[in-house]
Amino acid sequence: MTGKFRIEVLAPKHDRAGFACGSDPLDKYLREQASQDMRRRTSACYVAIDEKTNTIAGYYTLAAGSVPLTDLSEELAKKLPRYPLVPVARVGRLAVSLPFQKRQLGAALLWDAGSRRDVPPNGPSLGEASCSPIVGSDEPRAGLGIEDPTSLKASVTMDGMQDLDPVPKPTLVYPFEGPPARGKALEVAPGVHWIRMPLPYALDHINLWALDDGEGWAIVDTGVRNEETVAVWREQFANSPDQRPLTRVFVTHMHPDHVGMAGWLTRKFGVRLWMTRLEYLTCRVMVSDTGREAPDDAIEFFHRAGWSANAIETYRARFGNFGKHIHALPDSYRRLRDGEELRIGANTWRVVVGSGHSPEHACLYCPDLKVLISGDQILPRISSNVSVHPTEPDADPMSNWLASLTKLKRELPDDVLVLPAHNECFRGLHLRIDALARGQEKALTRLRRSLAEPKRVVDVFGALFARPISEADVPLLGMATGEAVACLNHLIYRGEATRSVDADGVAWYRFVAD
């Protein structure tokens, strides 16, 4: 640095309102999100202060993460401890205010980030991988991601898995500057409008879609059931310049952030719910668990995976909350079928079903508009959680997930505009599908190596996930357990692993060499 700037940890004393770097998402992040991420310990934010004006001239964020040791060069790897994952620090965002650009301040900030050894008290600790999106980047953020609730029959805050490996990432194209503001809609294609709803989780949003349906609007996905979502829907209805009513409600799958408000909307407007059969019926079954005691089969499932008595007791206390996130579903629905063509307004949309993330996930594809509403099946920056649950402990959803990726690439053209449930709209469908498939195969390769000696489910987390999985965070532990069992079951079905259960009822897995 030249002495004209000083670098400090972002604090309430710093005036962020006037910061403008030419990128609205980066400006908005500093104003509205940076302090929240620091309080959550997901990232630390450092600001460069101009000593003459005492204003913020630039900033960057640091987050802890890790990379597999096997992905480093041999020369570098031999200098490091032989742990499967190597801690790293990641620069998530870096921005320079317009008046200070072209003065090499950005390079100075990057140098400062690379040389920094201190972490502020409310910054991320090593191993706590950041789950914040990296604006303007398509780099992977290793570890379990944050998505919608819930994979098990307990209320959890995550359902997405962030990319587990530094697979070479495709260059995806994000054609819009940013999402619509709260209570507003953004037209992304003729008659297709983007709505963003808040979520009370670390991944704090879900994208919904309004389709011009002639006499009104068809809605795709609905948001989670809570008071804030109701308030934002009311703002949406009040702010819309087009006051036509809803005509029908489509739901891609049964997770609460997608189906949570479907019952409320269908009753409010007297319209039908459109959903695939397995998603509708599975949701009804899971909602019926609300208030129940945890079943013995679920307790056995987690004991067999290697959970401690304390973790299982916490699971018991949390069980049965799934239905609290969902308004009561209508008692009937209109079934969506794979390959079915639907007339929505002036356009024809085709139902494309995938599975693995959920039992019968519906995507909607419009050839005329070249638009794909992908739900959680294809996301640009995180990959969907694929889990085995206590209700079907021997399932192989990973095979379904990988087959669905192949199917989507075969049936859908590459030049579509993809409208995902999370992150931003993007182009580059086939590149993203290829990256997801490669990333999963690399995770399975690490798992095979880790099974050279017998291991329990909880023992393979280090091979699959780049962030630590602690028993203190039972929702995250449940997510990791479901994903790990899915990977292990997949190897068993491929004849590449065996499972045996010891006298204490705990399962042990081992790789089977050719």
Side-chain angles (χ1 to χ4, degrees), residues 23-72:
S23 169
D24 288 341
L26 289 171
D27 297 343
K28 183 177 180 181
Y29 176 82
L30 181 64
R31 290 194 307 268
E32 301 179 9
Q33 189 66 36
S35 295
Q36 295 182 43
D37 285 351
M38 292 182 72
R39 287 195 296 271
R40 294 169 177 163
R41 292 172 56 82
T42 59
S43 66
C45 183
Y46 297 87
V47 292
I49 304 300
D50 176 44
E51 293 188 343
K52 289 184 178 179
T53 63
N54 209 37
T55 58
I56 297 177
Y59 78 91
Y60 68 85
T61 62
L62 277 183
S66 58
V67 297
L69 182 68
T70 53
D71 285 343
L72 301 179

Side-chain angles (χ1 to χ4, degrees), residues 5-302:
F5 305 95
R6 64 183 184 275
I7 296 182
E8 303 175 348
V9 177
L10 179 66
K13 66 180 181 180
H14 296 126
D15 179 14
R16 287 164 277 182
F19 183 85
C21 69
S23 169
D24 288 341
L26 289 171
D27 297 343
K28 183 177 180 181
Y29 176 82
L30 181 64
R31 290 194 307 268
E32 301 179 9
Q33 189 66 36
S35 295
Q36 295 182 43
D37 285 351
M38 292 182 72
R39 287 195 296 271
R40 294 169 177 163
R41 292 172 56 82
T42 59
S43 66
C45 183
Y46 297 87
V47 292
I49 304 300
D50 176 44
E51 293 188 343
K52 289 184 178 179
T53 63
N54 209 37
T55 58
I56 297 177
Y59 78 91
Y60 68 85
T61 62
L62 277 183
S66 58
V67 297
L69 182 68
T70 53
D71 285 343
L72 301 179
S73 68
E74 208 173 299
E75 181 180 356
L76 179 58
K78 68 183 181 182
K79 300 177 183 178
L80 298 171
R82 304 304 294 177
Y83 295 116
L85 297 172
V86 179
V88 298
R90 253 188 343 266
V91 178
R93 294 172 176 82
L94 189 152
V96 176
S97 182
L98 288 169
F100 300 96
Q101 291 180 6
K102 298 184 179 180
R103 294 170 58 178
Q104 298 188 328
L105 178 57
L109 288 171
L110 190 60
W111 179 89
D112 185 80
S115 60
R116 187 168 292 279
R117 295 295 180 268
D118 62 311
V119 177
N122 58 340
S125 60
L126 281 177
E128 290 186 280
S130 169
C131 297
S132 303
I134 302 174
V135 174
S137 169
D138 196 41
E139 289 302 306
R141 302 172 312 288
L144 280 169
I146 310 299
E147 269 252 17
D148 44 19
T150 170
S151 289
L152 296 174
K153 296 180 184 178
S155 173
V156 300
T157 59
M158 305 178 181
D159 135 298
M161 173 77 72
Q162 286 186 323
D163 295 332
L164 304 178
D165 234 358
V167 175
K169 300 295 289 185
T171 302
L172 303 181
V173 176
Y174 299 94
F176 303 102
E177 290 185 1
R182 174 183 169 127
K184 304 290 186 180
L186 174 66
E187 189 170 32
V188 297
V192 180
H193 293 253
W194 179 6
I195 298 169
R196 177 160 282 194
M197 283 285 168
L199 292 177
Y201 315 115
L203 181 62
D204 58 4
H205 70 275
I206 180 172
N207 300 322
L208 316 179
W209 312 99
L211 310 180
D212 190 335
D213 198 15
E215 296 180 356
W217 296 94
I219 293 294
V220 182
D221 288 337
T222 67
V224 72
R225 175 188 179 178
N226 63 18
E227 291 183 3
E228 185 178 17
T229 307
V230 172
V232 177
W233 268 119
R234 287 175 174 155
E235 291 173 26
Q236 195 77 41
F237 298 141
N239 294 336
S240 176
D242 186 330
Q243 290 294 310
R244 286 177 294 166
L246 299 194
T247 56
R248 41 188 159 170
V249 174
F250 292 90
V251 171
T252 58
H253 63 295
M254 44 72 67
H255 293 156
D257 56 337
H258 298 260
V259 75
M261 295 294 289
W264 183 77
L265 288 169
T266 54
R267 290 181 181 90
K268 178 178 176 64
F269 290 93
V271 299
R272 297 194 73 185
L273 170 65
W274 296 56
M275 201 170 178
T276 62
R277 175 183 286 172
L278 281 178
E279 299 292 339
Y280 176 81
L281 295 179
T282 303
C283 188
R284 291 289 295 265
V285 169
M286 293 184 70
V287 167
S288 72
D289 281 337
T290 303
R292 280 187 59 199
E293 292 287 329
D296 291 341
D297 285 0
I299 302 306
E300 180 183 349
F301 177 85
F302 293 114

